[in-house]
Amino acid sequence: GARSATAFMKDGGYSDYKRNFLDAVVEMKLAEFVKGFQLRAVYSNQFRIGDREQFFRTFELWDRFKPRVWEHNPNFFQRTKELTLNTTMQLLANYNKTFNKNHNLAFLAGYQWEDLRSENLVTRATTLASNTTPSLNLGDNTTKIATESINTYAYQSYFGRINYNYAGKYLLQFNVRRD
């Protein structure tokens, strides 16, 4: 009941999660230096860092007259560090031309590159010598763990499109893409 919820909030410990994001996008456009032709470059970078600290204390939950159960037995303290870096680049070229007022032609050519790296480090100690002081050093040496994961991927793509329409009514389109 309410006593259990109060005990968890008061005696159960904490979970503190801090995340910081830095996202940047730079775009450059060179338009109409030749009639109907446009070049565009886009570069973006995402940097994300996270720190999580969790401390779960051992405490008693009571029935009306006596202790019912021990929660978080054994107690534990855990730290997690996260880092993600994602970089993307796009290069685009567009050309539009109209012939004899009714023949419209459009070309698009592009390149995209993306690279992502994600790292995660978790350290944990259980059966802490102190139920009030969160520290990895106070844990039982036989229960301490440290794990790390690293994930990466990268890809690049080339793509293009040709559009033709007559008087804005009849459309013919070709697309190509290579990853």
Side-chain angles (χ1 to χ4, degrees):
R3 287 183 309 234
S4 297
T6 302
F8 269 102
M9 290 188 293
K10 180 180 165 223
D11 301 322
Y14 62 86
S15 180
D16 186 19
Y17 192 25
K18 296 176 186 156
R19 294 181 81 188
N20 293 298
F21 294 1
L22 174 62
D23 296 347
V25 177
V26 176
E27 179 177 355
M28 294 178 8
K29 190 185 289 187
L30 185 57
E32 299 292 330
F33 64 93
V34 171
K35 185 175 179 175
F37 188 70
Q38 175 181 313
L39 291 175
R40 186 172 150 226
V42 180
Y43 176 84
S44 69
N45 206 337
Q46 296 176 327
F47 180 74
R48 300 180 178 200
I49 190 165
D51 289 312
R52 175 176 275 173
E53 196 171 280
Q54 295 174 291
F55 179 43
F56 285 14
R57 295 180 183 98
T58 300
F59 66 96
E60 289 180 303
L61 282 180
W62 282 67
D63 278 336
R64 194 166 176 187
F65 301 109
K66 63 181 177 14
R68 178 173 49 104
V69 67
W70 286 93
E71 286 293 326
H72 305 148
N73 193 9
N75 58 6
F76 75 87
F77 179 62
Q78 178 171 302
R79 282 199 171 149
T80 305
K81 303 279 187 190
E82 304 165 346
L83 175 65
T84 302
L85 180 60
N86 187 15
T87 305
T88 304
M89 181 180 60
Q90 291 180 340
L91 302 172
L92 302 167
N94 287 302
Y95 181 68
N96 296 301
K97 181 75 175 170
T98 300
F99 303 95
N100 298 331
K101 295 186 184 178
N102 288 321
H103 300 277
N104 302 300
L105 201 54
F107 297 93
L108 166 74
Y111 170 79
Q112 180 171 339
W113 172 80
E114 182 171 355
D115 181 59
L116 179 124
R117 181 180 175 92
S118 175
E119 300 176 10
N120 195 19
L121 176 65
V122 178
T123 55
R124 181 178 179 147
T126 60
T127 316
L128 303 176
S130 169
N131 203 33
T132 59
T133 306
S135 173
L136 295 169
N137 291 329
L138 294 176
D140 180 353
N141 284 336
T142 62
T143 66
K144 291 181 180 179
I145 63 165
T147 60
E148 180 179 33
S149 64
I150 298 173
N151 298 306
T152 61
Y153 77 81
Y155 73 89
Q156 65 180 355
S157 302
Y158 302 92
F159 50 91
R161 178 177 59 220
I162 299 172
N163 278 334
Y164 168 79
N165 76 62
Y166 178 75
K169 295 180 182 179
Y170 307 102
L171 176 66
L172 182 61
Q173 179 173 294
F174 297 98
N175 293 305
V176 65
R177 182 178 180 109
R178 168 112 175 141
D179 290 322

